[in-house]
Each structure stands twice: as C-alpha cells, then as structure tokens.
Amino acid sequence: MKAYLILLFLYLSLYPALAQQPVNSRDRVVVFRAVNLIPMDKEQVIENQTVVVKDGKITAIGNNGKVKYSKNALIVDGKGKYLMPGLAEMHAHVPPVDDLEPMKEVLQLFTLHGITTIRGMLGHPRHLELRSKLQSGELVGPRFYTSGPSLNGNSVKTPEAGAEMVRQQKQAGYEFLKLHPGLTTETFAAIASTANQEKMPFAGHVSYEVGVWRAIEAGYASIDHMDGFIESLVPGLEAIPEQEAGLFAMYIADQADTTRIPKLMTALREKNIWVVPTQALAERWMSPAESPETLGSKPEMRYMSPKTVQNWIAAKQKLMADPRYDAEAMSRYVDLRRKLIKACQDNGVGLLLGCDAPQVFNVPGVSTHQELAYLVTAGLSPYEALRTGTVNVGKYFKRDDMGVLKVGAAADMLLLNGNPLNDISQTQRIAGIVIGHTYLPEAYIKLELKKLEKAK
C-alpha cells in the first residue's frame, strides 16, 4: 500500500508537467470530448461532439457519449470550446538562407499560432531539406509547400534563361515557381509556356510590363497582393511609368475606373485564378491609420528582434515621407483594395488567406489572424473569411482531406475558447492545436511562445 501511495504521489506531482507536453497521435489516441464542432463544410456549429484523432487523421466524429475510443486515450475537455480546421498561410516567407535555425524559429511562430499549412513564397535549396524534416516528423510544424528561388528581372535576363530555370526547379523538386517584378513580356512568355509544358504552377507578382491580362491568360496558379489589379482599372496606363505608379499602384489608385472591376472579376473567375490579397500589407504598412511608432509597439513585436522592428518602423517612415504620399489618397487606396476583395468574394473568384509574413509589421502566425480580420473589414462574413484559410486551401491543392473536419481528413485543427463564426478575433484565443501527428496543449503553447520573445 505504501509503495502504491508513493507512486500515486509521484504521478500527481508530475501531472502538471505531463499535461504541458505535446502528444504524438501515432503513439496515443487524442480525443476531444463535448466540443462544439465547426466542420467548415458549411456555416454551422455542431454541439457536444466527440472527435477522435489517431496517427494524424480524424478517425471518428459523433455525439458525445456515443463514440468509442481506447482506454489509454488522452482526453481533452472541449466543453465550451470550439474545434475547427487549422489555418493556412498562403503567402509565407521562410528565410532563404543556408542556416536552418532561423527557418525553424519562423516555423515555430507559425505552428504555435495554429498555422498548420504554409506556402513558402521565396524558395531556397535548404527549404527542400526542411520540407523533408517536416514530412518525416523530425520537426513538428506546418505542411510546407515551397517555391524555388525567385524568377525576376535580375535572375532572368533572356527567354532561354527563364525556360531553363523552370526546368531546373521542376527537376529539383520544388512545388511551384515564384514570380517577382521585372519580367518582360518575352521572358514571362517563355517562363509561362515552359511551366505549363512541365505542369509546374507559377504564382506571385505580376510584372508591370506583363500586366494582369497576360497573367490571367497565361494561367497563374495565384496572383498575390492583387498585383496588377488596380493598374488594370487605370485608363492610359501605358503612359504611366512603373516608378510613378508605385508599389501595387498605390500612387495612381485615384485614377482607377471602378466600372472596369466586373470585367476583371469575370476573367479571374473564368480562368480559375486564385487570389491572395495580403491586405495586411496595405492596412499596416501603407495605410496612414496607425503611425509607425504605434505599430512598432504592438504586443506581437516581442517575437521580432529590436533591429527588425526598427527596420519596419523606418520603412513606414520612409514611405510616409515620400512626396507622393498623401494620407487621404492612401486611405482611398486601401478602401479600393477592400472593394476588390469583396468583388472577388461576390463574383466567385477564389480567395486564399495570406499576409506576406514576416514583412513590414506582419509577424509570422499573428498576422495571419489579423488578415482574417482585414477580410471581414472588407465585407466578408467571418465564415467566408475562414474559408480562405481552410476549405479554399483544400480546393486549391486539390485535396478533399484538407481544410475540413470529417472522418478521414487530416487532423490539422484548432481548439478555440470562443466561436469565430460570431467574432473572427476568436481564432486568436487558442486552447490547443493539432498539427500533423502532434497535439499541442495550451500550457505548452504559452510556454514555447514565451521562449520566443526577444529581449528589448
């Protein structure tokens, strides 16, 4: 009896520590009991459900008390909580460097904020190694789809060079091509033609000389930042130099003819071009709504180095000091981008969640949730906004086991303390995460995030 009591005491003394540790669903079944389920197949909450996870898959869903599971399962009390699919960040940046450590840190920030899939938009050879480590389970982190190194005006000088770069990246094993500005109509045509022959998707920026109409016709997998959209609305654009238009046409938005929006939407929909708005860039970097200093003091900046935050502050200060920058005009520019986002939603153009983190005032993981709020500000319902990071992502990757909660689906999930269908900010109140084969409890998440805070 004495030995039993000693063992019981030891177990109870260790229990708080054990409760803070990740659980691998390969080794132990994880059960969410009495939880409110948001399956995302339609706008609904199914109350008082039991969800069973084994080996990275959802193996059972049913009314609480009606679902069987193994006796040694980890039981997660879901009462009063909400279970939804994990979020995808479809315009992420993993550092394109030779050292894996800074890559791992960025991945941790995504992971601990419930971002269970990322699309890396500026590739590097070591990203292929990183992807392999994530797939094998050596590293716990998001599903990682990666582009190769950028195709742009500096890396592609001739059509022949562009075609060869496409073939090399296909051979290397990257999932898609990332296009940056500076491509000519000739180099772009060679890249697009070769990519389509090689069945290699291409995505990202639309070069100013190329324009959105050629981009749509060529079959972009996604146009990011809504690059080229505003330019397509401006009469006489051919007479406006790129430098005068500014990044994403920020300085010529007042010249846009909004009656042209329906034509743009029709073309995007008919060619099945997906759109990643990255509205967070406009709302945080370009908008005059908040000062650089205010943004630099936001709570999430504790995860970035002081030098990085200062660089971001300086970047916005420089933009606002530009003689072309007019606060009222820039507010109208941000409003026009919101109007374009809403037009995409209303016209059946596929939207994908992405915010270009880490980028000016966009902290990996945190900014994905902020992007959801910006989509709601643009006029989407919370459910429509959530689809951009869940259901739509599954459709984009042609995977019916991604972005929804159903038996057989990947168990990438967020356990939340509130209902995001009523209030989109509830996605930030995370009570647990399932990512790949691993369940991360709330105590562990908070502890690991604390470790990532930078000294000021």
Side-chain angles (χ1 to χ4, degrees):
M1 185 65 177
K2 184 177 181 182
Y4 170 77
L5 291 173
I6 292 171
L7 286 172
L8 181 63
F9 173 78
L10 287 171
Y11 175 78
L12 291 174
S13 65
L14 288 171
Y15 181 77
L18 291 171
Q20 293 180 10
Q21 295 307 305
V23 174
N24 192 319
S25 67
R26 286 185 175 123
D27 305 323
R28 190 179 183 190
V29 170
V30 179
V31 178
F32 296 87
R33 193 167 62 189
V35 75
N36 297 306
L37 190 69
I38 304 176
M40 286 305 296
D41 56 343
K42 57 185 176 181
E43 187 171 359
Q44 64 174 334
V45 176
I46 308 174
E47 297 180 350
N48 202 30
Q49 296 293 291
T50 292
V51 179
V52 181
V53 173
K54 173 64 177 173
D55 202 19
K57 296 284 186 183
I58 298 173
T59 58
I61 297 176
N63 293 330
N64 195 42
K66 301 294 185 182
V67 178
K68 295 181 179 179
Y69 46 84
S70 57
K71 291 181 180 179
N72 71 335
L74 173 72
I75 307 299
V76 179
D77 182 10
K79 190 173 182 180
K81 296 181 172 61
Y82 295 80
L83 192 66
M84 64 164 283
L87 293 169
E89 170 53 65
M90 294 296 282
H91 197 111
H93 282 284
V94 177
V97 295
D98 290 326
D99 185 1
L100 285 180
E101 291 310 308
M103 298 184 200
K104 291 178 183 177
E105 185 169 313
V106 168
L107 286 181
Q108 269 191 296
L109 282 170
F110 282 124
T111 299
L112 296 169
H113 288 98
I115 312 306
T116 57
T117 296
I118 63 172
R119 191 175 63 143
M121 295 299 290
L122 187 58
H124 184 276
R126 294 215 73 183
H127 288 180
L128 300 174
E129 179 184 347
L130 187 68
R131 183 183 67 189
S132 179
K133 290 178 182 293
L134 289 164
Q135 289 173 343
S136 70
E138 182 180 340
L139 292 177
V140 174
R143 297 173 189 272
F144 184 27
Y145 295 85
T146 181
S147 77
S150 165
L151 287 82
N152 57 67
N154 292 322
S155 64
V156 180
K157 295 295 188 181
T158 65
E160 294 76 17
E164 181 59 23
M165 199 167 173
V166 171
R167 288 188 286 266
Q168 288 175 352
Q169 292 197 14
K170 172 76 172 182
Q171 183 65 30
Y174 296 105
E175 273 107 352
F176 67 102
L177 308 167
K178 168 63 184 287
L179 307 190
H180 262 124
L183 298 174
T184 66
T185 53
E186 292 79 14
T187 55
F188 172 74
I191 290 166
S193 174
T194 309
N196 287 326
Q197 289 170 17
E198 297 286 339
K199 293 184 169 48
M200 187 70 163
F202 50 96
H205 290 254
V206 173
S207 293
Y208 196 78
E209 183 178 319
V210 172
V212 77
W213 301 111
R214 286 192 185 92
I216 292 170
E217 190 61 33
Y220 265 63
S222 74
I223 294 177
D224 294 50
H225 316 296
M226 299 192 292
D227 202 356
F229 283 23
I230 290 175
E231 292 92 323
S232 75
L233 308 178
V234 175
L237 181 74
E238 59 277 359
I240 302 174
E242 184 174 359
Q243 293 73 18
E244 186 179 322
L247 182 62
F248 309 135
M250 72 169 85
Y251 296 132
I252 59 172
D254 280 345
Q255 300 180 45
D257 177 1
T258 55
T259 65
R260 296 184 175 192
I261 292 177
K263 179 185 175 184
L264 175 62
M265 294 299 131
T266 298
L268 291 165
R269 183 182 64 250
E270 290 182 349
K271 287 291 187 177
N272 194 33
I273 309 295
W274 291 86
V275 176
V276 188
T278 67
Q279 181 68 359
L281 284 179
E283 301 275 359
R284 297 170 78 78
W285 182 15
M286 300 167 184
S287 169
E290 292 186 282
S291 72
E293 294 75 19
T294 297
L295 287 163
S297 63
K298 295 283 186 182
E300 65 268 22
M301 297 303 153
R302 65 185 181 271
Y303 301 122
M304 309 308 295
S305 71
K307 181 179 179 181
T308 295
V309 175
Q310 285 304 312
N311 287 342
W312 288 354
I313 290 171
K316 180 154 186 167
Q317 288 172 336
K318 181 180 179 181
L319 176 67
M320 297 181 78
D322 191 303
R324 297 170 295 175
Y325 188 95
D326 176 83
E328 291 184 2
M330 200 57 62
S331 293
R332 292 192 294 273
Y333 165 75
V334 173
D335 284 340
L336 177 55
R337 288 181 57 95
R338 292 173 182 165
K339 186 172 184 175
L340 285 165
I341 292 169
K342 185 63 164 63
C344 286
Q345 178 63 41
D346 290 347
N347 287 276
V349 177
L351 290 170
L352 297 169
L353 183 64
C355 60
D356 207 359
Q359 186 54 277
V360 183
F361 299 121
N362 287 343
V363 175
V366 179
S367 56
T368 309
H369 295 273
Q370 293 166 339
E371 181 77 10
L372 286 170
Y374 294 134
L375 294 178
V376 171
T377 299
L380 276 65
S381 71
Y383 174 68
E384 290 169 340
L386 289 171
R387 283 182 66 93
T388 69
T390 56
V391 178
N392 289 6
V393 176
K395 290 181 177 179
Y396 175 82
F397 287 121
K398 297 180 172 59
R399 292 188 55 164
D400 63 3
D401 67 337
M402 179 184 285
V404 293
L405 299 186
K406 63 181 183 180
V407 173
D412 292 332
M413 303 189 294
L414 291 184
L415 184 66
L416 305 174
N417 285 307
N419 184 356
L421 296 178
N422 293 337
D423 174 7
I424 198 64
S425 71
Q426 295 300 319
T427 62
Q428 299 180 59
R429 298 183 62 218
I430 296 173
I433 298 165
V434 181
I435 185 163
H437 292 84
T438 306
Y439 168 64
L440 307 178
E442 184 174 13
Y444 173 83
I445 293 166
K446 289 180 176 179
L447 186 66
E448 293 303 303
L449 282 173
K450 190 71 179 175
K451 292 177 185 177
L452 291 174
E453 292 182 14
K454 306 296 184 185
K456 299 300 181 188

